Amino acid sequence: MNKKLLIGGSLLVVLAVAAGVFIWLGKSKTPTSSSSKSSDLGIKPIENMITWSDPAGFTFNYPDTLKVDKHDEDQENYAHVELTDAAHPGKIIIWAKDLPLTKSQVAVANVDEWVSADKQLASSNVLDTELGGQTAKKILVGQNQLVLGAIYDGLLFTVEGELTDNAYWSKVYDQITSSFAFDPTADNSSATGDSGATDVSVDEEEVVE
């Protein structure tokens, strides 16, 4: 009888120790698991965005790490805004131009005619999309060049991307085109004037891949 009690008591002690070890191991693994999960989510820091407001009648947001050249020397076009980054080869240029002419020397009436009037664009991959709420065309020219264009208020607006560093510039291109908006109050009746960037930070949620 005493032996049974002794054996039973010993088993209880062993089970208690095993349970304690199991609980301790579980707690010790928890921080590693949580850290690994956060890493897998790929949470990136919020980028500081600046709003560019152009007298030609449009606005867009872009990362404050980019260098902006508004090409004041260009007296032919209504807008010529070039965005570059010294750390990433490539660039994005936003244009506002007079409407191109068809073969009949008549200004194009819509984006379909714009693409058809340009042999290089017409022979490339063309997708239907929008820019600033307007019907637009997105064209992949070659491997690393994107052109997105829309007609608004009698002008052709295009966002041209030379995406040499594709992973970087593709993201920037999407940020610019998705935030692009036309300003109906703007007066673009004259050629290129002084453009300016309004230093307004834009709150963005953390990007989770």
Side-chain angles (χ1 to χ4, degrees):
M1 187 69 176
N2 291 335
K3 285 185 178 182
K4 289 183 179 181
L5 290 173
L6 181 60
I7 292 172
S10 298
L11 286 174
L12 289 175
V13 172
V14 171
L15 289 174
V17 172
V21 170
F22 179 79
I23 293 172
W24 179 80
L25 287 175
K27 289 182 178 180
S28 65
K29 289 182 180 179
T30 301
T32 303
S33 175
S34 176
S35 175
S36 175
K37 183 177 181 181
S38 296
S39 176
D40 291 340
L41 287 175
I43 297 176
K44 298 180 180 179
I46 297 174
E47 286 183 321
N48 186 31
M49 304 292 287
I50 294 177
T51 297
W52 178 272
S53 181
D54 200 279
F58 62 88
T59 62
F60 62 86
N61 301 329
Y62 67 96
D64 64 353
T65 53
L66 298 184
K67 177 183 178 182
V68 182
D69 184 353
K70 56 192 179 72
H71 287 281
D72 288 330
E73 77 283 359
D74 185 350
Q75 297 299 309
E76 179 181 354
N77 299 294
Y78 295 84
H80 181 173
V81 184
E82 182 177 4
L83 302 153
T84 56
D85 189 323
H88 301 277
K91 61 185 176 181
I92 293 175
I93 302 179
I94 295 89
W95 300 89
K97 303 179 179 181
D98 285 321
L99 296 176
L101 303 178
T102 64
K103 292 180 180 179
S104 304
Q105 298 302 301
V106 178
V108 298
N110 51 57
V111 287
D112 290 307
E113 290 187 2
W114 161 56
V115 173
S116 299
D118 188 310
K119 291 182 179 180
Q120 185 180 27
L121 298 182
S123 62
S124 303
N125 294 323
V126 183
L127 297 174
D128 293 327
T129 184
E130 288 189 354
L131 180 66
Q134 302 297 312
T135 299
K137 295 289 184 180
K138 188 174 186 179
I139 307 103
L140 175 62
V141 183
Q143 294 184 340
N144 296 314
Q145 185 176 358
L146 272 179
V147 180
L148 198 162
I151 292 176
Y152 179 79
D153 199 20
L155 296 178
L156 173 65
F157 295 83
T158 60
V159 182
E160 298 183 4
E162 187 179 300
L163 315 181
T164 308
D165 184 345
N166 192 276
Y168 174 78
W169 285 109
S170 291
K171 178 183 176 183
V172 175
Y173 191 89
D174 289 342
Q175 289 173 324
I176 290 173
T177 55
S178 63
S179 63
F180 195 98
F182 291 106
D183 180 5
T185 64
D187 179 12
N188 56 23
S189 58
S190 60
T192 306
D194 291 334
S195 299
T198 304
D199 295 330
V200 179
S201 296
V202 178
D203 294 331
E204 286 197 343
E205 297 180 356
E206 291 183 339
V207 179
V208 180
E209 294 182 345

